[in-house]
């Protein structure tokens, strides 16, 4: 895919997804993208050990800043023609969406543990 300076794009950077504007084509494989808004907040934790809270270094990942320029592989960029939301609004929405998703997973995990505990009792009843 070919991009021009000034094109609006959706771009993935590390674990976040952003609305941006191409500001420079550095070579045939990358483009410099100015961040305009946040679509998906970056994932927290160790990406090599997902869902493991007890790793040696649990990464806190911040979203890229408004107007920050990041060099991104062209394979992670796609055209975008819609309206770009305001940065602060988009950051709040993306952050709250990730919090909601993790809260839902936490509730699911608690309920799953209850069901597995019940199955454990059924599979392996205490012997008298």
């Amino acid at each position: 895919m070919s991009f021009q300076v000034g094109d609006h794009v959706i771009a993935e950077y590390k674990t976040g997804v952003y609305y941006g504007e191409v500001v420079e084509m550095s070579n045939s494989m990358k483009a410099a993208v100015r961040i305009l808004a946040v679509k998906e907040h970056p994932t927290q934790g160790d990406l090599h050990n997902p869902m493991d809270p007890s790793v040696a270094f649990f990464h806190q990942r911040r979203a890229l800043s408004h107007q920050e320029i990041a060099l991104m592989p062209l394979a992670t960029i796609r055209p975008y023609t819609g309206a770009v939301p305001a940065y602060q609004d988009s950051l709040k929405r993306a952050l709250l969406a990730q919090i909601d998703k993790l809260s839902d997973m936490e509730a699911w995990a608690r309920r799953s543990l209850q069901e597995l505990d019940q199955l454990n009792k059924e599979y392996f009843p205490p012997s008298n």
Side-chain angles (χ1 to χ4, degrees):
M1 175 140 301
S2 174
F3 295 99
Q4 304 295 318
V5 171
D7 286 352
H8 280 182
V9 296
I10 291 180
E12 298 175 29
Y13 187 79
K14 299 190 179 180
T15 63
V17 182
Y18 302 90
Y19 299 97
E21 176 185 9
V22 175
V23 294
E24 183 180 327
M25 298 299 297
S26 66
N27 61 36
S28 62
M29 302 304 287
K30 293 188 178 183
V33 176
R34 181 186 337 269
I35 303 305
L36 302 176
V38 181
K39 184 169 173 46
E40 293 178 24
H41 195 277
T43 303
Q44 306 304 298
D46 184 343
L47 299 180
H48 300 291
N49 298 288
M51 307 292 287
D52 185 353
S54 57
V55 292
F57 184 68
F58 193 93
H59 297 265
Q60 180 191 68
R61 290 189 180 78
R62 299 179 69 83
L64 294 176
S65 301
H66 186 238
Q67 302 292 319
E68 183 173 349
I69 296 174
L71 196 58
M72 301 184 183
L74 291 179
T76 68
I77 302 171
R78 59 187 187 275
Y80 181 70
T81 57
V84 175
Y87 180 84
Q88 283 295 87
D89 294 341
S90 70
L91 177 61
K92 187 169 190 170
R93 182 195 46 72
L95 181 65
L96 292 176
Q98 190 168 76
I99 289 169
D100 286 346
K101 179 181 175 183
L102 290 171
S103 294
D104 289 347
M105 288 175 64
E106 181 182 33
W108 172 84
R110 267 195 312 277
R111 179 64 192 270
S112 293
L113 286 169
Q114 290 173 351
E115 297 302 325
L116 290 170
D117 185 52
Q118 180 61 39
L119 287 171
N120 188 38
K121 290 174 185 172
E122 291 175 21
Y123 293 158
F124 309 104
S127 56
N128 292 329

